[in-house]
Amino acid sequence: MTKENIKWWQKAVVYQIYPRSFQDSNNDGIGDLKGVEQHLDYVKKLGADVIWLNPVYNSPNKDNGYDISDYQSINPEFGDMAQFDHLLAEAHERGLKIVMDLVVNHSSDQHKWFIESRSSKDNDKRDFYIWRDPVDGHEPNNWGSFFSGPAWKFDEKTGQYYLHLFAEGQPDLNWANPKMRETIWNMMNWWVDKGIDGFRMDVISLISKPDGLPDGKVPKGDIYGNSNRAVANGPHVHEYLQEMRNKVLNNADMMTVGEASGVDIENAKEYASNDGKELNMVFQFEHVELDGNPDPALGKWYDQRVSLPKLKENLSKWQYELDGKAWNSLYWNNHDQPRAVSRYGSDKPEFRVVSAKMVGTLLHFMQGTPYIYQGEEIGMTNAYNLGWDDFNDIEILNAREYLVNKDHLIDDDTLLRYVHYKGRDNARTPMQWTAGKNAGFTDGTPWLKMNDNFGEINVEEALADKDSVFYYYQKLIQLRHELPIITTGHYQLLDPEDEEVYTYKRIGDDEELLVINNFTESEQSRDYGVPANAEILISNYPDDQGTTLRPFEAKVYRYKN
Ligand code: NOJ
């Protein structure tokens, strides 16, 4: 790639908004579209180019909007279609693009297609979903739901099981059915015609199920990871995505990112190849799965950090392997992952700001399109004040039901510790705007308890402090926009075994960047032979002390090579 042929989405920075938790404009305790609109100038001030909106469609909210009952509607909790159109126009007015969440591996069980499908075996829509007879009175295979328990639900009415890789209320659509696919293309084109700027595609790596739906070959007791290994990257997934490209995506200049659990480098090269036949990029999961529990039965639930060499090895592999062949997405957190500063930096008060800037530096100088999750730009932390009575997330609640109560694999206190480290509600507590009532999120009762640290950590405070995480992120974004090497430069890892400091280079035709990140609370000493003519591009300390790296120090040198 040269600086002449960079595509707009390769230079863009995406800001992810989880509307339910962003800003409530009518005091019902739930964030909404008007609330998003109120803060477009804030996103613009940060400098992001694109907003990714989590699902805003009609939904019974079994999985907070990822169970859609009408793809061409707006959930009244969030507003209505006129408000959406207004938001889109206001965003475009400011030069901001909007990418919508596309959730088509499954629908809600309240979608009219599923209501029809389950009504009788010979209904028109029966084959829009995946139905199977019981085998010896049991589930048709051993697949587990991502949210614990089996992935099949028996339906009395017609005496068959339906597949749900996620919650029971999220039946999987049958992508092998060309009529079903045609219906999806029509729906997508309807959104494209509205002028949206792209799609983030939910679990798109799971849409093609393996022929014959065979049992997954998994270690005994591995409930959580079962379906991923058995289902991801099915035999027709690339065919379906190429069809989608031809029928929908080529109709406009859009950005596409596929959420792709179970996808490795080789798969990613197909999904996100530079040849443009399928998607622009994928969200791969490898780096956020490195700190899973060594016991496969406990899946993601754990509270130990990944070692730095392991993290480097993984992130570097993606940087090296996709360069020139496919495109990376770059993310630390989102609505499904805990807060970046708590997981990779330190949320101790004395280190929070400096380490939030450090983790931002590490990510934003890599090759790929960076994603910032709401609140990351002010260093919001995990929510340790939430207890069992406060959690809302189905993944957390089901983990308790199965791992603690049914399967007795773990006790309540241990799971709570793991949830405080890994649970999705850490990221879903409402956005912290001010130090006032409910952090300025709502005058009503917030749908999910607030993180109790909003008195110190909030947007108002960040905007008033020129050394805040916010202004540092603003600068990271600005540098990406200004310096093509951040988009095009080749990556090179230094000192892979170093357990404290993560250092890499970006190598351009006539210049280099040296990105140095101290991952520890203590001072480190490292000599990288920085050339005398090097200038500091950005740093989270006010001065440069050469080979001495202070706690969580991050700095980037730029020099001619
Ligand atoms: C991934 C989404 O990001 C997550 O929030 C959701 O629970 C699952 N897919 C199922 O749709």
Side-chain angles (χ1 to χ4, degrees):
M1 190 202 319
T2 62
K3 63 179 182 214
E4 284 72 38
N5 62 12
I6 299 176
K7 313 232 176 32
W8 69 263
W9 42 266
Q10 291 177 312
K11 230 182 31 202
V13 175
V14 182
Y15 187 79
Q16 182 193 346
I17 293 183
Y18 193 68
R20 175 167 293 274
S21 297
F22 197 58
Q23 177 71 65
D24 177 16
S25 75
N26 61 353
N27 296 324
D28 63 356
I30 298 171
D32 46 46
L33 293 177
K34 249 200 192 143
V36 174
E37 200 176 308
Q38 284 168 14
H39 293 295
L40 287 176
D41 289 331
Y42 171 75
V43 178
K44 194 66 195 167
K45 185 179 172 86
L46 181 64
D49 309 276
V50 180
I51 290 173
W52 153 27
L53 273 190
N54 284 102
V56 289
Y57 319 97
N58 267 340
S59 164
N61 284 326
K62 292 276 162 43
D63 184 22
N64 283 357
Y66 281 93
D67 46 326
I68 297 172
S69 52
D70 181 352
Y71 289 98
Q72 284 159 252
S73 68
I74 297 294
N75 191 329
E77 289 175 337
F78 295 136
D80 57 24
M81 199 53 83
Q83 269 158 3
F84 176 83
D85 293 339
H86 200 256
L87 171 66
L88 185 63
E90 288 292 315
H92 285 169
E93 182 79 14
R94 290 164 175 78
L96 287 167
K97 297 182 189 284
I98 294 197
V99 162
M100 300 296 282
D101 221 304
L102 178 80
V103 189
V104 288
N105 172 70
H106 44 267
S107 73
S108 160
D109 63 351
Q110 301 305 307
H111 195 291
K112 62 176 190 255
W113 302 336
F114 189 73
I115 293 173
E116 284 189 45
S117 183
R118 85 192 314 178
S119 68
S120 80
K121 279 186 174 170
D122 51 18
N123 184 277
D124 237 21
K125 295 284 187 299
R126 185 69 171 180
D127 287 338
F128 265 46
Y129 295 86
I130 300 172
W131 293 95
R132 290 291 182 279
D133 286 326
V135 175
D136 300 330
H138 289 286
E139 286 86 7
N141 68 23
N142 71 350
W143 296 359
S145 153
F146 281 85
F147 295 153
S148 308
W152 294 94
K153 170 83 180 158
F154 187 69
D155 205 45
E156 298 285 346
K157 177 106 201 269
T158 52
Q160 286 194 312
Y161 283 91
Y162 70 84
L163 179 68
H164 63 89
L165 292 179
F166 293 89
E168 280 177 22
Q170 292 169 299
D172 280 56
L173 284 158
N174 177 17
W175 278 73
N177 178 350
K179 264 205 197 145
M180 198 292 297
R181 298 202 299 277
E182 202 58 48
T183 313
I184 298 291
W185 310 148
N186 291 340
M187 175 275 285
M188 288 176 74
N189 274 320
W190 184 87
W191 282 100
V192 173
D193 290 345
K194 261 190 184 294
I196 64 156
D197 303 289
F199 293 105
R200 173 270 183 190
M201 304 181 187
D202 194 62
V203 289
I204 207 69
S205 50
L206 303 180
I207 57 176
S208 165
K209 315 302 189 239
D211 295 332
L213 310 186
D215 275 352
K217 289 192 190 66
V218 289
K220 198 167 177 312
D222 175 4
I223 303 166
Y224 179 81
N226 179 338
S227 298
N228 215 1
R229 271 185 281 264
V231 181
N233 311 308
H236 302 288
V237 66
H238 297 295
E239 179 190 319
Y240 299 155
L241 288 175
Q242 286 165 27
E243 190 175 312
M244 182 193 285
R245 163 87 23 216
N246 293 330
K247 301 263 180 159
V248 182
L249 304 177
N250 281 343
N251 294 342
D253 178 18
M254 301 216 296
M255 178 180 138
T256 53
V257 50
E259 193 208 19
S261 59
V263 163
D264 64 16
I265 300 238
E266 292 314 310
N267 307 134
K269 284 183 195 161
E270 285 188 70
Y271 285 103
S273 161
N274 285 349
D275 68 13
K277 283 199 189 132
E278 298 181 20
L279 306 176
N280 297 151
M281 63 193 110
V282 292
F283 289 133
Q284 57 88 15
F285 278 68
E286 286 186 355
H287 68 297
V288 291
E289 286 176 348
L290 295 171
D291 53 1
N293 199 300
D295 176 355
L298 295 178
K300 74 182 252 183
W301 299 112
Y302 205 36
D303 62 354
Q304 299 299 307
R305 286 187 183 211
V306 57
S307 76
L308 193 58
K310 253 176 115 178
L311 183 67
K312 287 180 189 178
E313 186 195 1
N314 189 269
L315 292 174
S316 302
K317 188 175 76 177
W318 284 87
Q319 288 291 301
Y320 284 122
E321 293 276 328
L322 294 201
D323 189 10
K325 302 190 184 93
W327 193 247
N328 269 301
S329 70
L330 306 170
Y331 73 97
W332 283 133
N333 47 196
N334 56 41
H335 64 294
D336 293 331
Q337 300 291 336
R339 291 285 180 181
V341 67
S342 300
R343 191 178 190 179
Y344 300 104
S346 167
D347 52 24
K348 291 185 189 161
E350 65 272 37
F351 297 126
R352 183 185 65 82
V353 169
V354 74
S355 73
K357 293 175 182 175
M358 187 278 291
V359 294
T361 310
L362 181 78
L363 192 90
H364 280 256
F365 278 91
M366 290 191 168
Q367 189 180 66
T369 300
Y371 289 73
I372 298 168
Y373 178 64
Q374 66 183 45
E376 177 186 341
E377 77 284 7
I378 56 165
M380 277 178 66
T381 70
N382 277 2
Y384 306 113
N385 60 309
L386 270 60
W388 286 120
D389 291 340
D390 305 310
F391 296 121
N392 162 279
D393 173 24
I394 185 168
E395 186 185 46
I396 297 176
L397 300 176
N398 278 9
R400 190 184 198 200
E401 186 180 329
Y402 283 89
L403 304 179
V404 178
N405 296 337
K406 284 202 180 131
D407 300 332
H408 307 294
L409 293 173
I410 191 177
D411 64 57
D412 232 22
D413 290 347
T414 310
L415 183 61
L416 184 61
R417 226 175 52 236
Y418 293 172
V419 169
H420 280 157
Y421 180 67
K422 273 287 186 64
R424 305 198 296 184
D425 279 341
N426 286 304
R428 298 177 179 186
T429 59
M431 182 72 182
Q432 298 169 194
W433 296 103
T434 70
K437 183 180 176 192
N438 296 323
F441 165 69
T442 182
D443 266 351
T445 307
W447 72 275
L448 179 66
K449 193 170 177 175
M450 309 290 308
N451 189 321
D452 61 5
N453 61 18
F454 65 84
E456 303 89 64
I457 306 173
N458 59 67
V459 169
E460 198 172 55
E461 184 274 335
L463 293 181
D465 174 5
K466 66 175 183 14
D467 291 326
S468 67
V469 182
F470 179 91
Y471 291 116
Y472 193 87
Y473 264 67
Q474 187 185 53
K475 183 149 184 211
L476 288 173
I477 298 171
Q478 188 193 338
L479 287 170
R480 176 169 291 264
H481 289 154
E482 286 170 1
L483 302 181
I485 187 174
I486 301 178
T487 308
T488 59
H490 303 294
Y491 173 95
Q492 188 191 338
L493 176 67
L494 305 187
D495 301 339
E497 301 303 332
D498 189 328
E499 292 184 359
E500 287 97 21
V501 183
Y502 189 151
T503 301
Y504 63 88
K505 286 182 177 179
R506 297 295 302 282
I507 303 172
D509 291 339
D510 53 6
E511 62 172 347
E512 283 183 15
L513 305 179
L514 180 67
V515 185
I516 302 171
N517 300 280
N518 178 4
F519 262 74
T520 69
E521 290 180 4
S522 39
E523 205 170 275
Q524 306 290 338
S525 174
R526 296 289 185 279
D527 188 353
Y528 296 105
V530 179
N533 65 351
E535 54 156 327
I536 288 265
L537 206 52
I538 189 168
S539 161
N540 58 356
Y541 277 84
D543 60 345
D544 181 15
Q545 294 193 355
T547 53
T548 300
L549 301 175
R550 285 151 289 186
F552 295 107
E553 181 159 352
K555 55 182 171 180
V556 180
Y557 289 104
R558 178 190 194 188
Y559 47 88
K560 294 275 166 224
N561 58 7

